[in-house]
Amino acid sequence: PVAEADGRTLFRRVSFDLTGLPPTPEEVAAFVNDRDAAAYEKVVDRLLASPQFGERMAVQWLDLVRYADSVGFHSDVAIDVYPYRDYVIGAFNENMPFDRFTREQLAGDLLSNPTDWQLVATAFNRLNRMTNEGGSQAKEYLVKYAADRARTVSAAWLGSTMGCAECHDHKFDPFLQKDFYQLQAFFADVEEEGVYSSQARWGSSMRILPDSAKAEIAAIDRELASLRGSGNPSADAGPRQLADFAGRLRKQMEAWRTLQPDRAADDCSDPDISGCDSLELRIAEAGIVETAIVGEGKPGRAMYRVEIPAVSGKTTAIRLEALLADVFERFLLSMFEVVLMGRGPRPSPVAIGAVAADREDPDAMLRDTLDDNHHTVWGGDLCADIQRQAVFVFDQPLEMRAGERLRITMTFNGRAGRTMLGKFRLSATDSDFPEPAPFGTLRAAVLSGDWNDGQRNALEQAFQQADAGNANWDRIRRLERRKKALHDFADHCLITKVAEEPRVVRVLGRGNWMDESGEIVEPQTPQFLSPIATNGERLTRLDLANWLVSKDNPLTARVFVNRLWDLYFGQGLSKVLDDLGSQGETPLHQDLLDWLAVEFMESGWDVKHIIRTMMLSETYRRSSEPTAELRERDPYNRLHGRQPMMRLDAEFIRDNALTVSGLLNRKMGGPSAKPYQPQGYYAELNFPKRVYKPDLNADQFRRGVYTHWQRTFVHPSMMAFDAPSREECAADRSVSNTPLQSLALLNDPTYVEAARAFGARILQSGAARDTERLGFAFQQAFSRDPLDEERQMLLEFLDRQRQVFRADAAEAEKLLSVGIWEAPRTLDAVELAAWTSVARALFNKHEFITRY
């Protein structure tokens, strides 16, 4: 074997391997100069304990379980499942024993008194692709889902290609076709639909409160108990108390939030519209839609539609305000329709009522008359100095969830004396009126000064329900609203829920889902791998999980440690990671694989222990530079006489650039981030049509593991560096070397922006001379000084770039305008552009994307 790697190389290697991030120059220098014999061991322990360890380990596991943020089939719409990703990261960081990790994912819902996070873990069973395409056969897709789960479990835990047995007995390994369907039967109790009825409903889900929210809610509950016990509540409400109560509820109702339209669509195709010579529609400033009709003295109608992301939780009313910029003869709102998209097979109008008011007298709330189509007339001659508003109150609170949309259609009739220009603002309220008082009646009472018997009764009922006579009522309501907001804005996650009856599973001849002649099977493990004793009872997913991590099962521990060996040594001890059967490769070091598997189990399935064991080995610490003799004798390094050079995975190449540039946002968990990607990349996504919107805030700079994963349109830069689609279990990523990778590093806005920020760091480093600045750049990017040849080449390149940008200031401005990050105004544009070019060159060095 070759000698041990030098300190710089070893520190960078272990940093990338355990965290996916490069070390700082200061960390490298401290390690190189540390003479303590245990210095390396302390580094390994520190990195294993860092929160970035879980983020690094999660990438491999998310490939295995085909984690994604979209459903995969048909319209490939987004789903809420990111808490599962956070669960995986947390499990690795907490060093959750792998046997528990297995049980919680396969059967967390079957454990005694499962915690929220154990239920989140069961999202594993829901990560298969799903469809809501009209015309799809539910029975066919239930078969697809079941087969996918069997393939995933067998590949992820058993390292076996059981998918070959879907249509016939396995031709090379001792898996029978019956084994495949018996494995499916373990999951026949998962509640699901073959074809889902709505894009916003993908089966069972739950809200997950973070620990900070739980702590705040507990504190609120304690304060509420104290306030309610000391407020001397009044049992009865007189007229004055009811009037005061109604006024306070009305103030809540007037707490409006501006809605932000996503897009607007105009409609001027109605043949009865004779005056619609031309119609322009656009979204003006935040929350305001602007429309213009051009016509000379003709009757006209303007009909326009906006779509708005649904606000989470309840919405009780929507307000439309006219902010008119020009005068016209008459302008009538003849139709206002609200449609909640994403509920049911087809969108349907939400039943609404309406209230109109003038700006001059906002307390004179006059209810308009509605016809059966929920139309309201908003009449009168409107002038530029009068603001008109209509408040549309829903008959029932409108419950909305993430992913749903409001489609609001408005029609205005008018007679345009000249160009008519209108600006409109939409806003909504989500006041939490007391329940269980009759919703519509209570709102009518709040908006009226003269109550009928039904309205008075509703007010009195709400008064008692809200404990409104309590002296601390205002504080109590504020606390209740805060508690409600914490619940309403909690993360959603798909979970597993047990169906009332498990589905019937039968062996399908040739995998034909229409064939009902096959044998009906019960849950059971493969017949040649120590099947589970049933005692006459139906086996469960928990039985399967326990069997997978039992000492009677010879595969699970071997599969896991073999994948860890691949992660840290370039190839598994058996190099075919998803097939430890006869079509795989007999391990070259069988005794070592056996020993690691036994050590893993006997340590209590301790993941960090087995990784630490590998990291501290002499084999891991060897140099990656082979001798000529070693290269000739062992060209593929199967004897591990050296460490391999390995290209970083797609996520960590991005992380490396963001770290070196100083842009990396280390925020952990939460919704997936959306980095820049080419305009129009989602053009082929339909039902509905979508426009990709990158994050234009700090989320743009989050780690790659948090990137939004669209199965049918994987982020192009990730795909260029071999990230899988995650439509199926992926045990091993291919490693390609193509010109597209250099083009991505040079031109992807993420890397151009990172190069800009890195260029600014170089200029602000305190180094006065170009050679010193290059030294700083190399230390940040490679933890070393540049070689003489590199220094000379880059200095010449820097001078050429300065000449280019001095001669063409517009080109410099173009380069420096990429991305949302703003450079300090004190930096010279030509210098920054030139050093940005140098940074782009450094990002393209083989060394930058390679772990040695």
Side-chain angles (χ1 to χ4, degrees), residues 459-507:
L459 269 176
E460 289 177 347
Q461 184 178 354
F463 183 93
Q464 299 298 336
Q465 181 70 22
D467 197 16
N470 192 308
N472 301 311
W473 188 83
D474 286 332
R475 175 62 179 166
I476 289 172
R477 297 300 287 166
R478 282 197 297 271
L479 289 172
E480 287 175 337
R481 284 196 295 273
R482 174 60 182 167
K483 181 178 176 180
K484 178 178 180 294
L486 289 170
H487 278 288
D488 288 350
F489 287 93
D491 295 335
H492 278 80
C493 186
L494 297 180
I495 61 169
T496 299
K497 183 178 179 181
V498 176
E500 291 184 5
E501 290 291 335
R503 289 179 297 278
V504 173
V505 177
R506 63 174 73 242
V507 177

Side-chain angles (χ1 to χ4, degrees), residues 32-348:
V32 170
N33 295 321
D34 191 342
R35 301 306 174 200
D36 186 345
Y40 173 68
E41 186 175 347
K42 288 188 294 185
V43 164
V44 170
D45 290 339
R46 176 172 63 82
L47 294 176
L48 283 171
S50 73
Q52 287 70 47
F53 169 75
E55 293 174 325
R56 193 268 172 270
M57 288 294 295
V59 169
Q60 184 190 52
W61 190 256
L62 297 178
D63 283 354
L64 285 168
V65 300
R66 74 269 191 258
Y67 167 86
D69 295 295
S70 68
V71 296
F73 283 136
H74 185 41
S75 52
D76 197 24
V77 297
I79 51 174
D80 288 331
V81 75
Y82 53 82
Y84 170 81
R85 177 206 60 213
D86 297 345
Y87 162 83
V88 171
I89 292 171
F92 281 117
N93 276 335
E94 295 164 14
N95 199 25
M96 181 184 293
F98 188 77
D99 57 344
R100 176 185 159 194
F101 187 55
T102 297
R103 291 187 188 96
E104 292 186 353
Q105 290 179 81
L106 293 174
D109 57 312
L110 302 181
L111 299 173
S112 177
N113 298 316
T115 65
D116 286 352
W117 283 108
Q118 286 172 331
L119 292 175
V120 166
T122 67
F124 163 78
N125 298 316
R126 307 292 316 287
L127 293 176
N128 54 281
R129 288 177 290 171
M130 298 177 285
T131 190
N132 66 342
E133 182 178 8
S136 299
Q137 299 296 314
K139 186 177 177 182
E140 177 185 11
Y141 276 86
L142 285 173
V143 169
K144 289 179 183 289
Y145 304 161
D148 178 33
R149 290 194 186 102
R151 291 194 302 270
T152 300
V153 170
S154 63
W157 273 274
L158 302 177
S160 300
T161 55
M162 277 188 70
C164 298
E166 182 175 1
C167 301
H168 49 72
D169 291 347
H170 203 297
K171 292 184 176 181
F172 305 104
D173 290 324
F175 292 109
L176 303 178
Q177 187 183 18
K178 184 177 179 180
D179 291 335
F180 183 77
Y181 289 95
Q182 288 183 149
L183 184 58
Q184 284 187 28
F186 279 106
F187 301 91
D189 68 333
V190 174
E191 184 181 77
E192 62 184 338
E193 300 175 39
V195 179
Y196 288 86
S197 59
S198 165
Q199 291 179 353
R201 301 287 185 271
W202 295 101
S204 303
S205 66
M206 65 179 294
R207 285 177 172 171
I208 303 300
L209 284 168
D211 291 340
S212 58
K214 288 180 180 178
E216 186 174 352
I217 288 173
I220 288 173
D221 286 340
R222 289 192 295 270
E223 186 174 355
L224 285 173
S226 174
L227 291 172
R228 286 180 172 133
S230 60
N232 300 317
S234 172
D236 299 313
R240 181 175 296 180
Q241 286 177 302
L242 282 183
D244 178 62
F245 178 57
R248 287 188 283 183
L249 290 182
R250 184 166 177 169
K251 286 182 179 179
Q252 289 183 28
M253 188 172 179
E254 293 170 354
W256 298 95
R257 286 186 293 165
T258 299
L259 299 176
Q260 302 291 340
D262 257 13
R263 60 187 177 87
D266 60 85
D267 183 353
C268 194
S269 59
D270 190 327
D272 295 331
I273 302 178
S274 58
C276 196
D277 293 344
S278 64
L279 175 63
E280 299 175 1
L281 177 68
R282 70 177 190 273
I283 294 174
E285 60 263 37
I288 297 178
V289 178
E290 185 176 278
T291 184
I293 297 179
V294 179
E296 294 299 328
K298 300 177 183 179
R301 184 165 79 168
M303 177 181 182
Y304 70 90
R305 176 176 295 154
V306 294
E307 288 197 7
I308 298 169
V311 291
S312 180
K314 290 181 181 179
T315 295
T316 59
I318 289 180
R319 178 171 64 189
L320 169 68
E321 298 170 274
L323 314 169
L324 302 176
D326 203 349
V327 182
F328 44 88
E329 292 182 13
R330 192 164 181 80
F331 195 45
L332 302 176
L333 172 63
S334 61
M335 193 270 280
F336 185 90
E337 180 186 69
V338 180
V339 174
L340 183 60
M341 309 292 289
R343 182 168 294 183
R346 290 185 176 86
S348 58

Side-chain angles (χ1 to χ4, degrees), residues 319-324 328 330-333 355-361 366 368 377-391 412 423-425:
R319 178 171 64 189
L320 169 68
E321 298 170 274
L323 314 169
L324 302 176
F328 44 88
R330 192 164 181 80
F331 195 45
L332 302 176
L333 172 63
V355 175
D358 280 345
R359 178 183 180 183
E360 294 178 335
D361 187 9
L366 304 175
D368 281 352
V377 176
W378 187 14
D381 294 334
L382 303 185
C383 300
D385 61 344
I386 297 179
Q387 180 188 37
R388 300 282 288 193
Q389 69 178 12
V391 180
F412 296 92
K423 287 186 178 182
F424 308 95
R425 178 189 289 117

